[in-house]
PDB file of all heavy atoms in Angstrom:
ATOM      1  N   ARG A 137     181.389  93.074  73.112  1.00  0.00           N
ATOM      2  CA  ARG A 137     181.511  94.281  72.292  1.00  0.00           C
ATOM      3  C   ARG A 137     180.952  94.057  70.887  1.00  0.00           C
ATOM      4  O   ARG A 137     180.299  94.921  70.323  1.00  0.00           O
ATOM      5  CB  ARG A 137     182.963  94.706  72.189  1.00  0.00           C
ATOM      6  CG  ARG A 137     183.460  95.372  73.420  1.00  0.00           C
ATOM      7  CD  ARG A 137     184.849  95.845  73.202  1.00  0.00           C
ATOM      8  NE  ARG A 137     185.392  96.378  74.433  1.00  0.00           N
ATOM      9  CZ  ARG A 137     186.656  96.624  74.628  1.00  0.00           C
ATOM     10  NH1 ARG A 137     187.522  96.396  73.665  1.00  0.00           N
ATOM     11  NH2 ARG A 137     187.069  97.112  75.767  1.00  0.00           N
ATOM     12  N   ALA A 138     181.229  92.887  70.340  1.00  0.00           N
ATOM     13  CA  ALA A 138     180.749  92.597  68.993  1.00  0.00           C
ATOM     14  C   ALA A 138     179.229  92.587  68.946  1.00  0.00           C
ATOM     15  O   ALA A 138     178.631  93.154  68.023  1.00  0.00           O
ATOM     16  CB  ALA A 138     181.297  91.249  68.515  1.00  0.00           C
ATOM     17  N   PHE A 139     178.582  91.970  69.940  1.00  0.00           N
ATOM     18  CA  PHE A 139     177.119  91.930  69.952  1.00  0.00           C
ATOM     19  C   PHE A 139     176.544  93.327  70.125  1.00  0.00           C
ATOM     20  O   PHE A 139     175.523  93.662  69.523  1.00  0.00           O
ATOM     21  CB  PHE A 139     176.603  90.994  71.042  1.00  0.00           C
ATOM     22  CG  PHE A 139     176.889  89.555  70.774  1.00  0.00           C
ATOM     23  CD1 PHE A 139     177.461  88.758  71.743  1.00  0.00           C
ATOM     24  CD2 PHE A 139     176.593  88.990  69.547  1.00  0.00           C
ATOM     25  CE1 PHE A 139     177.743  87.428  71.496  1.00  0.00           C
ATOM     26  CE2 PHE A 139     176.866  87.664  69.289  1.00  0.00           C
ATOM     27  CZ  PHE A 139     177.440  86.881  70.261  1.00  0.00           C
ATOM     28  N   LEU A 140     177.209  94.150  70.935  1.00  0.00           N
ATOM     29  CA  LEU A 140     176.712  95.505  71.127  1.00  0.00           C
ATOM     30  C   LEU A 140     176.986  96.375  69.890  1.00  0.00           C
ATOM     31  O   LEU A 140     176.182  97.248  69.559  1.00  0.00           O
ATOM     32  CB  LEU A 140     177.330  96.121  72.376  1.00  0.00           C
ATOM     33  CG  LEU A 140     176.866  95.473  73.691  1.00  0.00           C
ATOM     34  CD1 LEU A 140     177.644  96.028  74.866  1.00  0.00           C
ATOM     35  CD2 LEU A 140     175.387  95.661  73.914  1.00  0.00           C
ATOM     36  N   LEU A 141     178.094  96.123  69.213  1.00  0.00           N
ATOM     37  CA  LEU A 141     178.383  96.898  68.003  1.00  0.00           C
ATOM     38  C   LEU A 141     177.517  96.457  66.822  1.00  0.00           C
ATOM     39  O   LEU A 141     177.213  97.256  65.939  1.00  0.00           O
ATOM     40  CB  LEU A 141     179.861  96.786  67.643  1.00  0.00           C
ATOM     41  CG  LEU A 141     180.803  97.643  68.486  1.00  0.00           C
ATOM     42  CD1 LEU A 141     182.245  97.356  68.124  1.00  0.00           C
ATOM     43  CD2 LEU A 141     180.502  99.114  68.324  1.00  0.00           C
ATOM     44  N   LEU A 142     177.122  95.188  66.791  1.00  0.00           N
ATOM     45  CA  LEU A 142     176.235  94.731  65.725  1.00  0.00           C
ATOM     46  C   LEU A 142     174.881  95.442  65.772  1.00  0.00           C
ATOM     47  O   LEU A 142     174.174  95.507  64.782  1.00  0.00           O
ATOM     48  CB  LEU A 142     176.034  93.218  65.800  1.00  0.00           C
ATOM     49  CG  LEU A 142     177.160  92.382  65.212  1.00  0.00           C
ATOM     50  CD1 LEU A 142     176.925  90.911  65.488  1.00  0.00           C
ATOM     51  CD2 LEU A 142     177.299  92.633  63.733  1.00  0.00           C
ATOM     52  N   ARG A 143     174.560  95.975  66.931  1.00  0.00           N
ATOM     53  CA  ARG A 143     173.320  96.727  67.056  1.00  0.00           C
ATOM     54  C   ARG A 143     173.393  98.026  66.257  1.00  0.00           C
ATOM     55  O   ARG A 143     172.364  98.639  65.969  1.00  0.00           O
ATOM     56  CB  ARG A 143     173.033  97.006  68.527  1.00  0.00           C
ATOM     57  CG  ARG A 143     171.626  97.435  68.782  1.00  0.00           C
ATOM     58  CD  ARG A 143     171.333  97.469  70.239  1.00  0.00           C
ATOM     59  NE  ARG A 143     171.320  96.168  70.842  1.00  0.00           N
ATOM     60  CZ  ARG A 143     170.256  95.377  70.924  1.00  0.00           C
ATOM     61  NH1 ARG A 143     169.132  95.768  70.433  1.00  0.00           N
ATOM     62  NH2 ARG A 143     170.325  94.208  71.511  1.00  0.00           N
ATOM     63  N   LEU A 144     174.604  98.433  65.869  1.00  0.00           N
ATOM     64  CA  LEU A 144     174.750  99.638  65.048  1.00  0.00           C
ATOM     65  C   LEU A 144     174.067  99.493  63.695  1.00  0.00           C
ATOM     66  O   LEU A 144     173.718 100.494  63.069  1.00  0.00           O
ATOM     67  CB  LEU A 144     176.233  99.941  64.813  1.00  0.00           C
ATOM     68  CG  LEU A 144     176.934 100.719  65.911  1.00  0.00           C
ATOM     69  CD1 LEU A 144     178.404 100.823  65.611  1.00  0.00           C
ATOM     70  CD2 LEU A 144     176.331 102.084  66.082  1.00  0.00           C
ATOM     71  N   LEU A 145     173.854  98.277  63.250  1.00  0.00           N
ATOM     72  CA  LEU A 145     173.146  98.086  61.984  1.00  0.00           C
ATOM     73  C   LEU A 145     171.729  98.632  62.052  1.00  0.00           C
ATOM     74  O   LEU A 145     171.117  98.889  61.018  1.00  0.00           O
ATOM     75  CB  LEU A 145     173.123  96.606  61.608  1.00  0.00           C
ATOM     76  CG  LEU A 145     174.469  96.018  61.213  1.00  0.00           C
ATOM     77  CD1 LEU A 145     174.336  94.540  60.947  1.00  0.00           C
ATOM     78  CD2 LEU A 145     175.042  96.740  60.017  1.00  0.00           C
ATOM     79  N   ARG A 146     171.249  98.819  63.249  1.00  0.00           N
ATOM     80  CA  ARG A 146     169.930  99.416  63.437  1.00  0.00           C
ATOM     81  C   ARG A 146     169.894 100.829  62.864  1.00  0.00           C
ATOM     82  O   ARG A 146     168.853 101.297  62.399  1.00  0.00           O
ATOM     83  CB  ARG A 146     169.617  99.416  64.929  1.00  0.00           C
ATOM     84  CG  ARG A 146     168.348 100.089  65.282  1.00  0.00           C
ATOM     85  CD  ARG A 146     168.286 100.276  66.782  1.00  0.00           C
ATOM     86  NE  ARG A 146     167.017 100.797  67.140  1.00  0.00           N
ATOM     87  CZ  ARG A 146     166.164 100.207  67.960  1.00  0.00           C
ATOM     88  NH1 ARG A 146     166.467  99.080  68.513  1.00  0.00           N
ATOM     89  NH2 ARG A 146     165.020 100.742  68.236  1.00  0.00           N
ATOM     90  N   LEU A 147     171.036 101.482  62.879  1.00  0.00           N
ATOM     91  CA  LEU A 147     171.099 102.853  62.389  1.00  0.00           C
ATOM     92  C   LEU A 147     170.949 102.929  60.868  1.00  0.00           C
ATOM     93  O   LEU A 147     170.743 104.010  60.322  1.00  0.00           O
ATOM     94  CB  LEU A 147     172.409 103.513  62.823  1.00  0.00           C
ATOM     95  CG  LEU A 147     172.586 103.652  64.341  1.00  0.00           C
ATOM     96  CD1 LEU A 147     173.930 104.257  64.660  1.00  0.00           C
ATOM     97  CD2 LEU A 147     171.468 104.451  64.970  1.00  0.00           C
ATOM     98  N   LEU A 148     171.039 101.803  60.186  1.00  0.00           N
ATOM     99  CA  LEU A 148     170.806 101.804  58.742  1.00  0.00           C
ATOM    100  C   LEU A 148     169.380 102.232  58.405  1.00  0.00           C
ATOM    101  O   LEU A 148     169.121 102.696  57.299  1.00  0.00           O
ATOM    102  CB  LEU A 148     171.092 100.428  58.150  1.00  0.00           C
ATOM    103  CG  LEU A 148     172.549 100.017  58.093  1.00  0.00           C
ATOM    104  CD1 LEU A 148     172.671  98.603  57.567  1.00  0.00           C
ATOM    105  CD2 LEU A 148     173.343 100.981  57.241  1.00  0.00           C
ATOM    106  N   ARG A 149     168.473 102.055  59.360  1.00  0.00           N
ATOM    107  CA  ARG A 149     167.094 102.500  59.131  1.00  0.00           C
ATOM    108  C   ARG A 149     167.027 104.001  58.904  1.00  0.00           C
ATOM    109  O   ARG A 149     166.137 104.498  58.226  1.00  0.00           O
ATOM    110  CB  ARG A 149     166.210 102.143  60.330  1.00  0.00           C
ATOM    111  CG  ARG A 149     165.942 100.703  60.496  1.00  0.00           C
ATOM    112  CD  ARG A 149     165.030 100.411  61.653  1.00  0.00           C
ATOM    113  NE  ARG A 149     165.494 100.961  62.913  1.00  0.00           N
ATOM    114  CZ  ARG A 149     164.898 101.964  63.560  1.00  0.00           C
ATOM    115  NH1 ARG A 149     163.817 102.505  63.099  1.00  0.00           N
ATOM    116  NH2 ARG A 149     165.375 102.412  64.705  1.00  0.00           N
ATOM    117  N   LEU A 150     167.985 104.740  59.470  1.00  0.00           N
ATOM    118  CA  LEU A 150     167.982 106.191  59.307  1.00  0.00           C
ATOM    119  C   LEU A 150     168.258 106.594  57.860  1.00  0.00           C
ATOM    120  O   LEU A 150     167.878 107.678  57.433  1.00  0.00           O
ATOM    121  CB  LEU A 150     169.016 106.831  60.234  1.00  0.00           C
ATOM    122  CG  LEU A 150     168.742 106.674  61.727  1.00  0.00           C
ATOM    123  CD1 LEU A 150     169.873 107.282  62.532  1.00  0.00           C
ATOM    124  CD2 LEU A 150     167.415 107.306  62.100  1.00  0.00           C
ATOM    125  N   LEU A 151     168.913 105.711  57.111  1.00  0.00           N
ATOM    126  CA  LEU A 151     169.175 106.025  55.710  1.00  0.00           C
ATOM    127  C   LEU A 151     167.896 106.041  54.889  1.00  0.00           C
ATOM    128  O   LEU A 151     167.861 106.623  53.806  1.00  0.00           O
ATOM    129  CB  LEU A 151     170.164 105.020  55.127  1.00  0.00           C
ATOM    130  CG  LEU A 151     171.568 105.078  55.715  1.00  0.00           C
ATOM    131  CD1 LEU A 151     172.410 103.961  55.120  1.00  0.00           C
ATOM    132  CD2 LEU A 151     172.208 106.426  55.475  1.00  0.00           C
ATOM    133  N   SER A 152     166.852 105.393  55.393  1.00  0.00           N
ATOM    134  CA  SER A 152     165.595 105.382  54.642  1.00  0.00           C
ATOM    135  C   SER A 152     164.905 106.746  54.643  1.00  0.00           C
ATOM    136  O   SER A 152     163.933 106.937  53.915  1.00  0.00           O
ATOM    137  CB  SER A 152     164.660 104.320  55.209  1.00  0.00           C
ATOM    138  OG  SER A 152     164.252 104.685  56.511  1.00  0.00           O
ATOM    139  N   ILE A 153     165.415 107.673  55.413  1.00  0.00           N
ATOM    140  CA  ILE A 153     164.865 109.026  55.406  1.00  0.00           C
ATOM    141  C   ILE A 153     165.166 109.711  54.070  1.00  0.00           C
ATOM    142  O   ILE A 153     164.354 110.459  53.545  1.00  0.00           O
ATOM    143  CB  ILE A 153     165.434 109.841  56.589  1.00  0.00           C
ATOM    144  CG1 ILE A 153     164.944 109.249  57.903  1.00  0.00           C
ATOM    145  CG2 ILE A 153     165.062 111.303  56.493  1.00  0.00           C
ATOM    146  CD1 ILE A 153     165.598 109.856  59.124  1.00  0.00           C
ATOM    147  N   SER A 154     166.327 109.408  53.506  1.00  0.00           N
ATOM    148  CA  SER A 154     166.741 110.027  52.250  1.00  0.00           C
ATOM    149  C   SER A 154     165.945 109.450  51.080  1.00  0.00           C
ATOM    150  O   SER A 154     165.895 108.243  50.895  1.00  0.00           O
ATOM    151  CB  SER A 154     168.234 109.779  52.035  1.00  0.00           C
ATOM    152  OG  SER A 154     168.593 110.084  50.723  1.00  0.00           O
ATOM    153  N   PRO A 155     165.331 110.305  50.251  1.00  0.00           N
ATOM    154  CA  PRO A 155     164.585 109.802  49.089  1.00  0.00           C
ATOM    155  C   PRO A 155     165.481 109.074  48.082  1.00  0.00           C
ATOM    156  O   PRO A 155     165.072 108.096  47.478  1.00  0.00           O
ATOM    157  CB  PRO A 155     163.977 111.051  48.462  1.00  0.00           C
ATOM    158  CG  PRO A 155     164.068 112.110  49.473  1.00  0.00           C
ATOM    159  CD  PRO A 155     165.174 111.743  50.397  1.00  0.00           C
ATOM    160  N   ARG A 156     166.724 109.523  47.938  1.00  0.00           N
ATOM    161  CA  ARG A 156     167.638 108.869  47.004  1.00  0.00           C
ATOM    162  C   ARG A 156     167.982 107.460  47.480  1.00  0.00           C
ATOM    163  O   ARG A 156     168.073 106.533  46.679  1.00  0.00           O
ATOM    164  CB  ARG A 156     168.916 109.686  46.836  1.00  0.00           C
ATOM    165  CG  ARG A 156     168.692 110.949  46.068  1.00  0.00           C
ATOM    166  CD  ARG A 156     169.970 111.690  45.880  1.00  0.00           C
ATOM    167  NE  ARG A 156     169.720 112.924  45.156  1.00  0.00           N
ATOM    168  CZ  ARG A 156     170.639 113.798  44.898  1.00  0.00           C
ATOM    169  NH1 ARG A 156     171.874 113.598  45.289  1.00  0.00           N
ATOM    170  NH2 ARG A 156     170.348 114.896  44.232  1.00  0.00           N
ATOM    171  N   PHE A 157     168.198 107.322  48.762  1.00  0.00           N
ATOM    172  CA  PHE A 157     168.521 106.002  49.292  1.00  0.00           C
ATOM    173  C   PHE A 157     167.312 105.070  49.197  1.00  0.00           C
ATOM    174  O   PHE A 157     167.470 103.885  48.908  1.00  0.00           O
ATOM    175  CB  PHE A 157     169.004 106.115  50.745  1.00  0.00           C
ATOM    176  CG  PHE A 157     169.624 104.855  51.246  1.00  0.00           C
ATOM    177  CD1 PHE A 157     170.873 104.463  50.840  1.00  0.00           C
ATOM    178  CD2 PHE A 157     168.923 104.046  52.119  1.00  0.00           C
ATOM    179  CE1 PHE A 157     171.434 103.291  51.289  1.00  0.00           C
ATOM    180  CE2 PHE A 157     169.473 102.867  52.585  1.00  0.00           C
ATOM    181  CZ  PHE A 157     170.738 102.496  52.167  1.00  0.00           C
ATOM    182  N   ARG A 158     166.116 105.617  49.412  1.00  0.00           N
ATOM    183  CA  ARG A 158     164.906 104.802  49.243  1.00  0.00           C
ATOM    184  C   ARG A 158     164.761 104.336  47.798  1.00  0.00           C
ATOM    185  O   ARG A 158     164.375 103.203  47.533  1.00  0.00           O
ATOM    186  CB  ARG A 158     163.668 105.585  49.673  1.00  0.00           C
ATOM    187  CG  ARG A 158     163.415 105.524  51.144  1.00  0.00           C
ATOM    188  CD  ARG A 158     162.048 106.057  51.426  1.00  0.00           C
ATOM    189  NE  ARG A 158     161.896 107.389  50.817  1.00  0.00           N
ATOM    190  CZ  ARG A 158     161.421 108.444  51.433  1.00  0.00           C
ATOM    191  NH1 ARG A 158     160.982 108.343  52.639  1.00  0.00           N
ATOM    192  NH2 ARG A 158     161.339 109.602  50.827  1.00  0.00           N
ATOM    193  N   LEU A 159     165.075 105.222  46.851  1.00  0.00           N
ATOM    194  CA  LEU A 159     165.024 104.846  45.440  1.00  0.00           C
ATOM    195  C   LEU A 159     166.041 103.752  45.135  1.00  0.00           C
ATOM    196  O   LEU A 159     165.738 102.782  44.439  1.00  0.00           O
ATOM    197  CB  LEU A 159     165.281 106.072  44.562  1.00  0.00           C
ATOM    198  CG  LEU A 159     165.282 105.839  43.061  1.00  0.00           C
ATOM    199  CD1 LEU A 159     163.889 105.416  42.586  1.00  0.00           C
ATOM    200  CD2 LEU A 159     165.755 107.072  42.342  1.00  0.00           C
ATOM    201  N   LEU A 160     167.237 103.881  45.688  1.00  0.00           N
ATOM    202  CA  LEU A 160     168.257 102.858  45.494  1.00  0.00           C
ATOM    203  C   LEU A 160     167.821 101.519  46.086  1.00  0.00           C
ATOM    204  O   LEU A 160     167.964 100.467  45.457  1.00  0.00           O
ATOM    205  CB  LEU A 160     169.581 103.307  46.116  1.00  0.00           C
ATOM    206  CG  LEU A 160     170.721 102.315  46.061  1.00  0.00           C
ATOM    207  CD1 LEU A 160     171.178 102.123  44.626  1.00  0.00           C
ATOM    208  CD2 LEU A 160     171.855 102.779  46.937  1.00  0.00           C
ATOM    209  N   LEU A 161     167.250 101.559  47.286  1.00  0.00           N
ATOM    210  CA  LEU A 161     166.776 100.325  47.908  1.00  0.00           C
ATOM    211  C   LEU A 161     165.630  99.697  47.126  1.00  0.00           C
ATOM    212  O   LEU A 161     165.574  98.475  46.973  1.00  0.00           O
ATOM    213  CB  LEU A 161     166.338 100.590  49.349  1.00  0.00           C
ATOM    214  CG  LEU A 161     167.442 100.782  50.365  1.00  0.00           C
ATOM    215  CD1 LEU A 161     166.851 101.057  51.741  1.00  0.00           C
ATOM    216  CD2 LEU A 161     168.348  99.581  50.424  1.00  0.00           C
ATOM    217  N   SER A 162     164.720 100.514  46.624  1.00  0.00           N
ATOM    218  CA  SER A 162     163.612  99.944  45.847  1.00  0.00           C
ATOM    219  C   SER A 162     164.115  99.365  44.526  1.00  0.00           C
ATOM    220  O   SER A 162     163.609  98.345  44.065  1.00  0.00           O
ATOM    221  CB  SER A 162     162.522 100.987  45.606  1.00  0.00           C
ATOM    222  OG  SER A 162     163.021 102.035  44.809  1.00  0.00           O
ATOM    223  N   ALA A 163     165.140  99.978  43.919  1.00  0.00           N
ATOM    224  CA  ALA A 163     165.717  99.420  42.693  1.00  0.00           C
ATOM    225  C   ALA A 163     166.422  98.104  42.984  1.00  0.00           C
ATOM    226  O   ALA A 163     166.311  97.145  42.208  1.00  0.00           O
ATOM    227  CB  ALA A 163     166.686 100.421  42.067  1.00  0.00           C
TER     228      ALA A 163
END
Side-chain angles (χ1 to χ4, degrees):
R137 284 184 186 166
F139 291 131
L140 292 173
L141 283 175
L142 280 173
R143 196 170 292 272
L144 276 174
L145 291 177
R146 176 191 186 121
L147 297 178
L148 289 176
R149 290 182 305 111
L150 295 177
L151 294 176
S152 67
I153 294 172
S154 166
R156 289 182 181 177
F157 192 74
R158 276 192 307 228
L159 179 65
L160 177 68
L161 285 179
S162 64

